[in-house]
Amino acid sequence: MAVSYKDLGLVNTKELFKKATEGKYAIPAFNFNNMEQMQAIVQACVETKSPVILQVSGGARKYANQTLLRYMAQGAVEYAKELGYNIPIVLHLDHGDTFELCQSCIEYGFSSVMIDGSHHSYEENVALTRKVVEYAHKYDVSVEGELGVLAGIEDDVVAEHHTYTQPEEVQDFVSKTGVDSLAISIGTSHGANKFKPDQCTRNAEGILIPPPLRFDILEEIEKKIPGFPIVLHGSSSVPQQYVKTINDNGGNLKDSIGIPEEELRRAAKSAVCKINIDSDGRLAMTASIRENFILHPEWFDPRQYLGPAREELKKLYAHKTVNVLGSAGKA
Ligand code: G3H
Ligand code: 13P
Ligand code: ZN
């Protein structure tokens, strides 16, 4: 039953992160749950010749099924080749919360796992992360750890405020655990409501501008662990045209504010070499489907509305690799 990711044609993150750090860009980590999202990610990354991390949360794994995911990932590799370019593809567990989940994902062909011990005490986080690293490295699987807590909702854990990563801890954490990359908290958060309007200022056009990310903390971290791969979660920009389309077509999204793309461009040029994007894909897909449901009330074949939604997703992902992360052309 157990399968190595290598037999599926996948790669771990080692080489990708090395090149991204040296080349001053970031690898996209796009979450997916279903076939259309996977197709859009692969199409966009093949067209823009970008390496990619296909990212699956514990919830997504339950939704899609572990066995199907293994074949979908293998299918993604073959699909990319069929589309004309053999891009490096990583299959990564997002926010793994237990050793057992990480172990199971590795047995089912994942090439990278995140063990998110950030809600535990420092000592417990170190011990859990170390245990996952010891197991994963036997199979040449990469491990991402996390220090600091992002505000917002993370796998049913709700944090009211950020607990920023403490630069004094990173060197100790990295050396004690042996992780391959480190997710940090510098002001991003999960979901489509990253900031409250009263935290923001308005520019001349009346657009809400959120408070800047804590690049000072990132710089301190870089000084403590030079060249070490850093990961940024909660990095959706929440494009306002999607929010408007959703709300113009019966939706009800309020106070949806994301991370300005300019800040992500800046982060991608630093030690940040993996940028996680999920919510923007959810918004693109929902906007397209809602609009088409209103425009074409007679449609009932899922291909009629999932096809355009997939096209919109592909445009979004291509935009990210070319204009935000700088990973286009690096495959
Ligand atoms: O960080 C969380 C990701 O956006 C995955 O979300 O647990 O709802 O699949 P999910
Ligand atoms: P967003 O909700 O900003 O897309 O973040 C996704 C993420 O961090 C997945 O781990
Ligand atoms: Zn995350």
Side-chain angles (χ1 to χ4, degrees), residues 19 28 31 38 133 151 157 172-173 178 194 198 204 231 274 294 299 315:
K19 287 188 188 155
N31 289 69
M38 190 271 267
V133 168
V157 181
D172 185 67
F173 185 82
K194 300 190 189 298
D198 61 11
V231 178
K274 171 175 180 270
I294 299 292
W299 280 5
K315 263 198 274 171

Side-chain angles (χ1 to χ4, degrees), residues 29-45:
F30 296 133
N31 289 69
F32 83 108
N33 310 271
N34 67 28
M35 183 186 77
E36 281 78 9
Q37 291 169 325
M38 190 271 267
Q39 289 172 320
I41 296 168
V42 175
Q43 288 171 10
C45 292

Side-chain angles (χ1 to χ4, degrees), residues 31 55 94-95 114 150 189-192 194 232-237 276-280:
N31 289 69
Q55 189 158 264
D94 192 24
H95 294 285
M114 174 187 193
L150 275 64
S189 61
H190 293 104
K194 300 190 189 298
L232 216 51
H233 282 247
S235 298
S236 279
S237 294
N276 286 10
I277 296 171
D278 186 355
S279 298
D280 283 356

Side-chain angles (χ1 to χ4, degrees), residues 21-235:
T21 308
E22 287 165 6
K24 300 201 177 307
Y25 60 92
I27 312 287
F30 296 133
N31 289 69
F32 83 108
N33 310 271
N34 67 28
M35 183 186 77
E36 281 78 9
Q37 291 169 325
M38 190 271 267
Q39 289 172 320
I41 296 168
V42 175
Q43 288 171 10
C45 292
V46 165
E47 267 182 30
T48 64
K49 294 192 164 55
S50 171
V52 70
I53 298 172
L54 290 174
Q55 189 158 264
V56 179
S57 69
R61 189 168 183 251
K62 275 199 199 120
Y63 176 85
N65 177 274
Q66 57 201 26
T67 303
L68 276 177
L69 275 174
R70 158 191 165 165
Y71 290 103
M72 281 175 87
Q74 187 171 23
V77 173
E78 296 306 319
Y79 182 45
K81 287 186 207 158
E82 190 182 306
L83 290 174
Y85 207 75
N86 190 9
I87 54 169
I89 299 180
V90 174
L91 180 65
H92 174 79
L93 169 66
D94 192 24
H95 294 285
D97 55 351
T98 61
F99 170 79
E100 290 73 21
L101 176 59
C102 294
Q103 183 179 34
S104 172
C105 284
I106 292 167
E107 285 171 0
Y108 276 84
F110 281 60
S111 58
S112 175
V113 294
M114 174 187 193
I115 177 68
D116 181 356
S118 63
H119 299 282
H120 298 299
S121 71
Y122 180 78
E123 289 72 25
E124 284 167 349
N125 188 359
V126 168
L128 176 61
T129 306
R130 174 79 224 155
K131 188 173 171 191
V132 171
V133 168
E134 275 169 6
Y135 180 80
H137 281 183
K138 281 197 267 184
Y139 303 95
D140 213 9
V141 168
S142 311
V143 181
E144 175 184 327
E146 178 165 333
L147 266 183
V149 180
L150 275 64
I153 303 171
E154 244 180 56
D155 264 344
D156 301 331
V157 181
V158 183
E160 266 295 306
H161 303 287
H162 305 279
T163 308
Y164 296 120
T165 307
Q166 294 179 37
E168 307 75 53
E169 287 182 346
V170 295
Q171 198 178 16
D172 185 67
F173 185 82
V174 163
S175 68
K176 280 190 179 145
T177 59
V179 281
D180 303 287
S181 62
L182 181 68
I184 60 164
S185 171
I186 56 164
T188 62
S189 61
H190 293 104
N193 298 74
K194 300 190 189 298
F195 304 95
K196 303 237 158 41
D198 61 11
Q199 290 175 281
C200 303
T201 50
R202 278 189 196 276
N203 70 7
E205 290 88 52
I207 296 181
L208 286 169
I209 308 296
L213 297 180
R214 294 290 305 270
F215 281 98
D216 56 320
I217 298 179
L218 174 60
E219 280 160 23
E220 283 305 305
I221 291 170
E222 288 191 64
K223 278 186 206 149
K224 302 278 184 192
I225 42 174
F228 193 80
I230 300 295
V231 178
L232 216 51
H233 282 247
S235 298

